[in-house]
Amino acid sequence: MGEPIRILNLFTIMNRGGAETMVMNYYRRIDRSKVQFDFIVHREERGDYDDEIEALGGKIYRLCPIYPKNFKKYKAQLNQFFDEHPEYLIVHSHMSELGYFAFKIAKEHGVKCTICHAHNAPNFKSETLSEKAKDIVRFVFKHKIRKYTDYRFVCGMDAGKWLFGRRAKRKFIMMNNAIEADKFRWNRKKAADLRREMNLDGKFTVINVGRFNAQKNHNFILDIFNLIHYKNPDSVLLLAGDGELRERIMQKAEKFGLGDCVRFLGVRDDINDLLLASDVFLFPSLYEGLPVTLVEAQASGIKCVISDAVPKDCKITKNIVTVPLDETPGVWADEVLKFADGYERKDTYETIVKKKFDIEENAKWLEEFYINEYCK
């Protein structure tokens, strides 16, 4: 093979979200002399991963946001793009139903392989009126995109059923949200060193990793931690991530008088170290697909207290405790506090590899999939 084949990935912006992090895990490990990743994004501002993408040889193309007022402009941009870039024969969208316009126009320009990737299983019970209005558009587009989708990739069965329908489950292709498992494995000495460096010695440390949006349920996290801290004053909450609700959550922490024991860490590239230094991973999400952060947490050997809205196929190790979302903050706090006196933390590396969530084998599979499709 001469030049590598180029795969066009579709994203909103390449920030440190779950799907973005997963794709970067694959991108780092594929043989880039054979397969190269390029990206269409829909924001002018640079994303967290843009520098690394360009360093790895990837190209980033910027189109307008996919808002209803932009539909006409967006379709014109897509037509121009595929006119100018006939080299892309495989388009892999990570935007669920919002890949509809790109798939339709790609097919009109002779793109032979479209991959629609389901990363989430939305739960609409807790949405605002404006969010519910958006769901009408989502519902229409998720049905329209199926006609132009050659392959239905899923991170988990629930995500696939939501995007493609239950009848299509036999056509699902499971692409695991694989991680660099060795990077996250439990190391007692390293954990002790990290706790000293982070001033966490003697602290019962609870952590959440996720974007500050409604789905991740940070309001409820603070309600839970407020009770944890009342019962155990030597507790600390680490919140890694950023998003539109961060300021509101910071204000709530101050209102509760938790300003000194809730640490807002922002976007981080050392999640492996943060997990090693913590005692419990608290994850009361309103809905999920198969979150990369939960795979990483389990790879670190930490106890995970998660909501019953997180799909069952997320349970890779025995370190998962599930609590119903409709339980009170007090019930959640008590479940977390069960681990305050310590527990035997074990290396789960072999389990992660056995369950096929290590990146090495998965990256090789994806590389071969792309090459086979390209050569058909």
Side-chain angles (χ1 to χ4, degrees):
M1 183 178 290
E3 290 293 314
I5 65 173
R6 305 195 78 91
I7 309 302
L8 187 64
N9 290 273
L10 270 58
F11 276 98
T12 299
I13 184 172
M14 286 304 294
N15 281 335
R16 293 182 184 276
E20 295 83 355
T21 297
M22 180 274 292
V23 167
M24 292 303 296
N25 285 340
Y26 277 86
Y27 189 18
R28 297 180 190 111
R29 294 305 175 102
I30 61 171
D31 185 341
R32 292 186 298 279
S33 69
K34 297 178 180 178
V35 177
Q36 179 59 253
F37 283 5
D38 296 329
F39 297 80
I40 281 182
V41 297
H42 299 82
R43 295 292 184 272
E44 281 301 318
E45 64 268 28
R46 290 182 67 80
D48 298 326
Y49 286 123
D50 285 10
D51 288 346
E52 183 178 2
I53 289 169
E54 291 167 349
L56 293 173
K59 301 173 184 177
I60 302 173
Y61 306 97
R62 300 184 189 281
L63 303 187
C64 67
I66 312 175
Y67 301 147
K69 66 179 182 180
N70 289 339
F71 283 173
K72 184 177 180 180
K73 177 182 177 182
Y74 183 54
K75 288 187 283 186
Q77 288 182 342
L78 285 169
N79 272 299
Q80 181 180 352
F81 177 87
F82 285 109
D83 280 340
E84 296 174 353
H85 295 281
E87 68 271 24
Y88 294 112
L89 300 181
I90 300 175
V91 178
H92 192 154
S93 174
H94 303 271
M95 301 176 66
S96 288
E97 73 289 343
L98 289 180
Y100 162 68
F101 288 125
F103 277 13
K104 183 177 185 295
I105 292 171
K107 283 298 185 182
E108 291 169 356
H109 283 75
V111 170
K112 65 179 183 179
C113 177
T114 53
I115 303 166
C116 188
H117 202 137
H119 287 285
N120 233 329
N123 176 350
F124 303 122
K125 294 179 181 178
S126 305
E127 290 195 322
T128 64
L129 286 175
S130 63
E131 289 170 332
K132 289 178 179 178
K134 293 178 184 177
D135 293 335
I136 297 173
V137 178
R138 299 186 71 182
F139 182 82
V140 171
F141 281 176
K142 80 173 185 176
H143 283 84
K144 282 190 171 186
I145 198 173
R146 297 170 188 174
K147 176 181 177 181
Y148 301 101
T149 298
D150 294 314
Y151 292 99
R152 295 166 170 83
F153 277 31
V154 303
C155 67
M157 292 301 290
D158 287 356
K161 290 174 184 176
W162 179 83
L163 185 56
F164 305 119
R166 293 179 178 275
R167 293 181 180 178
K169 62 183 180 181
R170 292 183 180 179
K171 297 180 180 179
F172 293 171
I173 296 176
M174 189 70 67
M175 180 172 161
N176 285 335
N177 285 354
I179 65 168
E180 298 176 58
D182 187 63
K183 180 179 175 182
F184 289 85
R185 67 192 305 175
W186 171 241
N187 183 312
R188 188 179 304 278
K189 182 180 183 306
K190 183 179 179 182
D193 292 342
L194 287 167
R195 289 178 71 88
R196 280 192 295 272
E197 291 172 14
M198 297 173 65
N199 195 27
L200 292 173
D201 265 346
K203 303 290 186 182
F204 176 51
T205 306
V206 181
I207 185 171
N208 175 273
V209 180
R211 181 170 176 79
F212 281 74
N213 60 15
Q215 173 189 351
K216 301 300 182 181
N217 214 4
H218 285 86
N219 261 314
F220 194 52
I221 290 173
L222 278 192
D223 290 339
I224 297 166
F225 184 72
N226 191 36
L227 294 175
I228 291 172
H229 192 258
Y230 176 77
K231 296 180 179 181
N232 185 339
D234 289 324
S235 56
V236 173
L237 174 63
L238 307 182
L239 297 175
D242 204 351
E244 61 270 20
L245 297 182
R246 178 176 173 173
E247 285 298 321
R248 191 181 303 175
I249 299 303
M250 292 178 73
Q251 291 170 10
K252 182 169 181 174
E254 289 294 333
K255 181 181 177 181
F256 279 171
L258 299 172
D260 294 335
C261 51
V262 179
R263 302 184 189 178
F264 292 84
L265 306 179
V267 175
R268 302 288 290 247
D269 59 5
D270 60 345
I271 300 301
N272 54 325
D273 288 346
L274 296 177
L275 289 168
L276 282 182
S278 301
D279 299 303
V280 175
F281 185 76
L282 177 58
F283 203 65
S285 292
L286 299 179
Y287 59 88
E288 291 288 347
L290 199 153
V292 174
T293 53
L294 187 54
V295 179
E296 293 171 344
Q298 290 177 87
S300 78
I302 196 172
K303 293 294 183 182
C304 304
V305 180
I306 71 173
S307 78
D308 59 349
V310 179
K312 293 180 180 179
D313 44 10
C314 292
K315 299 178 182 180
I316 305 168
T317 69
K318 296 180 180 179
N319 287 337
I320 298 289
V321 175
T322 301
V323 183
L325 261 178
D326 58 6
E327 283 288 4
T328 64
V331 170
W332 278 80
D334 288 343
E335 288 295 335
V336 173
L337 284 165
K338 287 179 180 178
F339 306 109
D341 293 328
Y343 56 90
E344 184 183 0
R345 193 156 168 178
K346 298 179 179 179
D347 185 341
T348 60
Y349 176 79
E350 295 299 333
T351 301
I352 299 297
V353 173
K354 183 179 179 181
K355 296 289 184 69
K356 300 189 181 300
F357 280 91
D358 183 56
I359 194 61
E360 295 293 342
E361 183 179 340
N362 285 278
K364 185 64 177 175
W365 169 85
L366 184 62
E367 177 187 311
E368 291 176 354
F369 178 90
Y370 286 144
I371 291 172
N372 289 338
E373 284 303 307
Y374 188 88
C375 295
K376 277 184 178 179

